[in-house]
Structures are given as C-alpha cells and as structure tokens.
Amino acid sequence: MSTRQHPAPHDGRADPDTPQPPIDPSAVVHADDLASMGRRLGGLLVDWAIASLIGWAFLPGNSPFVLGVWALIQISLVSTIGASFGHAVFGMRVVRVSDGGLPGLLPTLVRTVLLALFIPGLVWGRDGRPAHDRVAGTAVVLLKAIRGRQAR
C-alpha cells in the first residue's frame, strides 16, 4: 500500500519486476499489494477449520451453526483488527481500498455475507479482487505491504 507512482504497463501484461498502479484511481491499494488466491484460500481453510472445531464441540453435525461461527469470527475480528485467524497465519490483512484503514463493521458485514454466499468469492475482477471485496470496498493485502508503507 505504497504511495509511490507507478508507470502503466505498455502491453497490458503485468511485469513482475514493475510495480503495478493503484487498483482504481481513488485507491491507495496497489495491485502488487494484494494477497494471492492461494494465500486467501489457505486463510479461509484455517478459519473454516476453527469454526468447524467450535461447531463440532457444541452442535456436532450442524453445518448452519458452523457457518454462523465462521461468520461471527470474520465479522468480529476483521472489523476490529483487520484480520481473522487465517489471515494472520498467512500474513494478510483486510483494508479499505480508499485509505488502507481498518474496514469497520458495515464493509466487513457486507463482505462476510457475500462470501458466505460462495459465488461472489469465485468472481474475480480485472483489479485482482473478488466480487465480495469490490462490493465492500475492501482488499486483502499482504502484511508486508502494510509494513512497507508504514516504514516510509
């Protein structure tokens, strides 16, 4: 989430050695700050495993309860500290695209509900974010991107 200026790629393909421009003109988040799909999936699996263990301990075999526990974990942690357990394990944070700050309650609620519907998580935009993040105005970024910005 750096504030440096980036040249636009000339042929439409991202050069891994060339920093990418912001994901949209009003954003402070750059394309090279975004977490990969693999990291995001790993974080989701960690969070789902934790929710499943909690669900199994209280109501074995109750999938809606597990989904509710997962949603509660997402909403409570992401809105207040910017990361769930899975995000933290994989070195990621959820931020507002506009200013890089904590997403807050409403955007986190929106992205969690949409992610729980599953399909928005499969629809990725050209900016490198899935639909639930685009609608909520959030992005999942690498923790090192945040630390790099704070060091400048």
Side-chain angles (χ1 to χ4, degrees):
M1 299 188 346
S2 63
T3 57
R4 62 190 183 271
Q5 295 295 321
H6 301 291
H10 63 284
D11 64 359
R13 289 181 285 157
D15 177 1
D17 296 328
T18 303
Q20 299 300 302
I23 58 177
D24 74 45
S26 63
V28 299
V29 176
H30 290 79
D32 53 353
D33 298 336
L34 297 175
S36 68
M37 186 185 306
R39 276 184 192 248
R40 292 173 64 112
L41 183 58
L44 179 64
L45 291 175
V46 167
D47 290 336
W48 192 258
I50 291 169
S52 295
L53 289 172
I54 293 169
W56 178 79
F58 290 99
L59 293 172
N62 189 327
S63 296
F65 183 70
V66 171
L67 181 60
V69 170
W70 172 84
L72 184 62
I73 289 170
Q74 294 300 304
I75 293 166
S76 62
L77 294 178
V78 172
S79 67
T80 58
I81 63 173
S84 65
F85 298 113
H87 292 124
V89 166
F90 284 89
M92 302 178 292
R93 291 289 181 269
V94 179
V95 298
R96 280 190 314 265
V97 171
S98 61
D99 62 7
L102 289 174
L105 184 59
L106 185 59
T108 301
L109 184 61
V110 167
R111 79 182 294 278
T112 300
V113 168
L114 291 174
L115 188 54
L117 294 174
F118 187 69
I119 298 301
L122 298 177
V123 180
W124 287 65
R126 292 178 52 177
D127 64 358
R129 296 182 301 151
H132 62 275
D133 276 327
R134 289 193 319 272
V135 170
T138 58
V140 179
V141 298
L142 298 172
L143 185 56
K144 68 181 182 179
I146 295 171
R147 288 184 179 150
R149 181 177 51 116
Q150 291 171 344
R152 292 170 205 218

